[in-house]
Amino acid sequence: MLDIKYVRAHPEVVKTSIQRRNLNAEKINVDHLLDLDTKWREAQSRANDLRGQRNELSSSIKKLAAEERKEVINKVKGIKGELTQIEKDLEDLATERDVLLRLLPNLLADDVPDGKTDEENVEVSHWGQLPTFDFEPRDHVALGEITDTIDFDRAAKVTGSNFYYLKHEAVLLEQALCSFATAHLLPEGFIPITTPDLARSEVLEGIGFAPRGPEKQVYNVEETDLSLVGTAEITVGGYHSGEIFDADTLPLSYLGFSHCFRTEAGAYGKESRGLYRVHQFTKAEMFVLCEEADSTRQHERIRAQEEALLQELGIPYRVVNVCAGDLGAPALKKYDIEAWMPGRSAYGEVTSCSNCTDYQARRLNIRYRPEPTASPKHVHMLNGTAIAISRTLIAILENFQRADGSVSIPKALHPFTAGVKEIPCRR
RNA sequence: GGAGAGAUGGCCGAGUUGGUCGAAGGCGCCUGAUUCGAAAUCAGGUGUACGGGUAACCGUACCGGGGGUUCGAAUCCCUUUCUCUCCGCCA
């Protein structure tokens, strides 16, 4: 959520963000919002006057004789009639205004490229040598089948499409990747944390997810206000809601582990084969709370960690600066890191990191005091994928496959795989 | 799941026969005095949001959330969430 005071002062900047993000300006109407806001402020002012009058008269009642008292009470009742109506208007205006206010996306960083879809994201760097094979490389679905490590067919019996079982070395890899991420990020000051896999609507909304309605991306739990989380960003972000930090406790960095559940409604089509777009996966997520002036630096720090992890694994990748039209509403700027996936001879997103500035902190009410006696400001919040297990598995299987259908396990994971260094072909 | 108790400012904690309570007291923090400096001590200050004003400042709201009673609610009633204790069930 943006600061309404900022919207009042800089409506053009907000409009530009909406336009560049290719959002529906009819629906997300800044002028209408400001109009409602003006009316709300007028009503607020009037209500204040009336309440002031009421309070003054009310407090005098005690001292008055019975005769006068009746008269004044009637007078106050008259004020109350008008006040009740204005308070009703005030509430309606505030509700309508806030609905619109919450639809506004974050501002855009200066260096966010123009563009409508992910095809217009701009490559900013790349790393690693693309593998060459003297055989026809298999994709991860085929590899998962012949090594008996990923089973989609049987999962379909239990949960339907886009679920899977991991078996044998894939399970080792899942656990090893989590341990690998921890081992790498612990010395960097990240606090490991496991979180609930569910969260309340209030928290989902605070982070910028729609918990209900046609645009929701999450599973709801019946007869509760809970949803399965799509990322630990939600639960780690909600962790400190309502709190005020001393500046010297920031930045605060977490490495959150959770399962991620996504309905992926309407996302079927290309790029949805195999593990790429599934309803459940495990993820290690970096999450940083910091001071306002520090967030750009923290964003680069998270990105550097994401790159370091892929480099240690030996997976070729490129970094793209996500264009305005492909950015999520809470993000001021986002990098996607795309690993090379030989199964489709293309790069595919494996991690991303977003600078959400104070957009999430405002609704979650997470603040800090820049100085001990200063008024609190909202913290800046950033998130980035350390390891998304499912997509990392794609990259590992496809990049490290051999002609005989076996797969070598990256050296960086050997300390965590119980001595297992390769995945044998079983068919 | 059943029965009770509670939720107050950055923290702890008074206040429940409704009015002078944004809220005692303490801690913490800030400023000043004292000191070579510090500790200790003493004095003063110290919530958030919204609205108004160039400003000093003024008004309004906020005592977990929502609703109600009343001229007036931290205080009374209803409801909801959470916490704690006890009982039951269970990994």
Side-chain angles (χ1 to χ4, degrees), chain A residues 20-21 107-115 122 321-327 331-334:
Chain A
R20 289 190 60 205
R21 286 169 189 263
L107 308 178
L108 290 168
D110 294 338
D111 55 353
V112 170
D114 284 323
V122 173
N321 186 354
V322 174
C323 74
D326 196 32
L327 272 183
L332 180 87
K333 180 180 176 182
K334 176 163 98 162

Side-chain angles (χ1 to χ4, degrees), chain A residues 219-280:
Chain A
Y219 293 98
N220 304 131
V221 178
E222 249 183 273
E223 291 175 6
T224 72
D225 187 36
L226 296 167
S227 302
L228 293 172
V229 297
T231 159
E233 176 192 354
I234 294 166
T235 40
V236 178
Y239 184 65
H240 285 297
S241 64
E243 297 184 22
I244 299 178
F245 294 99
D246 293 331
D248 60 14
T249 61
L250 301 175
L252 196 51
S253 308
Y254 287 103
L255 177 61
F257 294 90
S258 81
H259 295 109
C260 303
F261 300 91
R262 302 184 179 184
T263 57
E264 300 291 358
Y268 296 98
K270 64 167 188 170
E271 293 194 344
S272 64
R273 183 169 158 73
L275 284 178
Y276 196 77
R277 199 172 292 286
V278 287
H279 292 313
Q280 177 184 340

Side-chain angles (χ1 to χ4, degrees), chain A residues 328-358:
Chain A
L332 180 87
K333 180 180 176 182
K334 176 163 98 162
Y335 294 114
D336 277 355
I337 300 189
E338 303 177 340
W340 180 250
M341 296 183 175
R344 57 161 122 158
S345 292
Y347 286 101
E349 180 188 341
V350 284
T351 67
S352 76
C353 54
S354 301
N355 181 359
C356 298
T357 62
D358 58 0

Side-chain angles (χ1 to χ4, degrees), chain A residues 190-211:
Chain A
F190 285 83
I191 300 164
I193 185 167
T194 66
T195 82
D197 285 337
L198 297 91
R200 301 191 143 150
S201 295
E202 188 188 322
V203 178
L204 286 267
E205 281 166 10
I207 292 293
F209 278 73

